[in-house]
Structure formats: C-alpha cells, structure tokens
Amino acid sequence: MEDVITEIPPPSRFFQEDLNNFAPPSQPLPSPFLLFSDPKTEPLRPSLLIIAISPPSLYLFDNLCTKTLIGSLILPEIPFSGNSIEPTPADKCCNIYELNGAANLTLLVSLKCPVSAERFNIVAKLLVGKQIIPERVLILGSVQSQNFRGKLSPDETYAFKLETLAERGKGSDSGASSLLEGLDYFPSGSMVDGLAAALLSQCQMRNIRGTLCVSWPDHGSSVVAQVRSLLQKNVLHGFDLSSSAGVEDKHLRITQIKDYPFDSELYT
C-alpha cells in the first residue's frame, strides 16, 4: 500500500503559466523621478554634468568637501533602510550635488545604487535632457572585461574615452578642445553597455557634448590616482580630490577584498 505522506505527489495537471492565472497580477513599480530640495519650474542648465558610476570616481567624490546636496534620483525599488540622514559613503542612493567654487554651474550625480537593465533608458532620460539640460556631460564608468577585446591585467591601469559626435566635432574646431584631451579612444572591437552606454546614447540623440571615460580595474590605489589625475588636469582645475593616506588605504583594502575581480586563468 502506498504511503500517502512520503510518496512523491503526481505532477500537476496545469502548466506553470496556467497556475499564474489564479494569482493576482503584481502592481507595476512607479517610475523613477528626480527630487530637488528647491524645486524649480524650469530645468537646470549646468555648464557641466558629471555622472560618477565607477568605484574609483565614487570614492574620489565621496571625499570632496566642496559640494552641496541639491537633490536625489529616487528609484522606488531601492529601499531607504540602512541609509543615514546625512549622506555617507556606505549609503545606497543616487544624490545630485552642486560643486562649489566652479566658474560655471557644475553638477555631480553620484550613483551608488544598482539600476536594473529595464530602468537604464528612463534613468538616462531623467538625468540628461528632461529636468537637467547640460551643455556638456562627463560619464565616469568602468571597463567591462567580458566586453573588452583583449586581455586586461589586474596589475595594470587603463583609461579610455568615447565621445559623441558633438564633442568630437567641437574638439576638431580651432579654439575648442576635447574634455579629456590626450586620452586614448576605446579600442575598436570592444563594447560598452549598461547605464553608462545609455547615458552616452542619450547625449548623442540630443546633440549634447558627451564624453564617457572608462577605467580599469575597479579598485586599487593606482586606478584611483589615474582618475584623480584626469579630473584635476582636464575637468576640475583647482579642486582638491585628495584624501588622507590612512582613509584611502583602509577603503582600498576593504573594496579589494570584497569586490576585486580575479583572473580566472590563474585557477584553471
């Protein structure tokens, strides 16, 4: 006689999609939106918009004192639990700052929370072209090893750039220069995807002078120094992006242990 308690139940007569018909449909998530401390009817028109996505750039701007919080990008799927009232490096958020002391209005977007792939386009449109209409955009991203044509050594640092046609065209005119003058272009055959690519595409569609700077690796004192040098030499003249050696070493040790990409060939 079969044991009705321990016997494996027969397969369901319904397909999985049929079973889903009995469950109420999930409510769609609200769309992301920008929230400013001083709401204005007119869009902001900064001379330069910097969007920091890569870990080295986020670390550098976390330690920049001459900035004022003016707003945030709100993603409804990202909970606020665990974030402090005052912004800290550990917060999972996307804050918008105004850089104090710049000759012209310069905004910084510090994107420290994950953005899902289906949100890339709507977030890119929010940051570039709707409530913020910049003259120039600098996106700081990372080289993705799976999309790079060639071998990337974790012991060496690299930085490349991609530009919109408007930025490249202005750079070829007399009297106008590229934002990251002298930096090599991203190698042919390699690819950039994700939010950084969506932001650069938005700049291209709106004929905005946009530059995407990607660096490798994601963590380490050498790549932090390289990104710092690029920013101080070409973009933020006179801004102090340095930090105390003890704080920097502690941060880099933690991030290397937690997130450092290992070379899989060493373990095959």
Side-chain angles (χ1 to χ4, degrees):
M1 182 177 178
E2 295 181 354
D3 188 343
V4 295
I5 297 179
T6 59
E7 189 70 19
I8 298 176
S12 173
R13 292 176 295 172
F14 296 96
F15 293 107
Q16 187 63 39
E17 54 268 23
D18 295 329
L19 293 174
N20 291 336
N21 293 333
F22 297 99
S26 58
Q27 294 295 326
L29 284 173
S31 296
F33 60 94
L34 298 183
L35 182 64
F36 291 100
S37 56
D38 183 18
K40 296 179 175 62
T41 56
E42 294 294 324
L44 294 172
R45 298 180 180 273
S47 174
L48 175 64
L49 172 65
I50 303 173
I51 304 175
I53 303 175
S54 67
S57 63
L58 290 172
Y59 169 73
L60 289 172
F61 286 117
D62 275 341
N63 291 279
L64 180 64
C65 298
T66 55
K67 63 180 187 290
T68 302
L69 180 65
I70 63 170
S72 296
L73 167 66
I74 305 299
L75 296 167
E77 62 268 29
I78 303 297
F80 290 102
S81 59
N83 290 348
S84 58
I85 297 177
E86 293 292 331
T88 65
D91 290 344
K92 298 295 183 182
C93 59
C94 179
N95 289 330
I96 304 172
Y97 300 91
E98 179 181 348
L99 298 188
N100 306 326
N104 300 304
L105 178 60
T106 301
L107 298 185
L108 164 69
V109 177
S110 178
L111 212 159
K112 297 191 290 184
C113 59
V115 179
S116 58
E118 59 269 18
R119 298 288 205 182
F120 287 162
N121 286 332
I122 188 171
V123 168
K125 291 177 182 178
L126 281 173
L127 294 177
V128 180
K130 282 194 173 182
Q131 292 175 264
I132 304 176
I133 305 177
E135 295 179 13
R136 220 168 187 179
V137 177
L138 173 61
I139 307 155
L140 299 169
S142 300
V143 175
Q144 300 148 327
S145 57
Q146 69 274 17
N147 296 332
F148 188 80
R149 187 176 183 180
K151 183 172 176 59
L152 293 168
S153 171
D155 298 324
E156 297 183 18
T157 59
Y158 304 92
F160 306 100
K161 68 178 178 180
L162 287 167
E163 296 174 333
T164 61
L165 291 178
E167 175 69 14
R168 187 173 295 190
K170 289 288 184 180
S172 62
D173 295 340
S174 58
S177 61
S178 174
L179 187 61
L180 297 179
E181 190 72 27
L183 188 64
D184 292 336
Y185 284 101
F186 201 54
S188 176
S190 300
M191 184 179 68
V192 174
D193 61 8
L195 181 58
L199 288 163
L200 189 65
S201 299
Q202 190 67 21
C203 294
Q204 176 65 34
M205 289 188 292
R206 294 182 178 272
N207 198 31
I208 294 174
R209 299 180 63 182
T211 301
L212 168 59
C213 175
V214 290
S215 58
W216 169 270
D218 267 350
H219 304 288
S221 57
S222 56
V223 69
V224 170
Q226 184 179 34
V227 174
R228 179 191 292 122
S229 175
L230 286 172
L231 290 172
Q232 290 182 325
K233 177 182 177 182
N234 299 283
V235 184
L236 300 175
H237 307 285
F239 279 81
D240 184 13
L241 297 175
S242 61
S243 59
S244 61
V247 174
E248 182 167 340
D249 290 343
K250 180 181 178 181
H251 167 83
L252 294 174
R253 283 198 301 269
I254 293 173
T255 52
Q256 284 176 343
I257 293 172
K258 182 179 179 182
D259 297 311
Y260 198 89
F262 294 100
D263 190 343
S264 60
E265 291 187 3
L266 296 176
Y267 303 94
T268 56

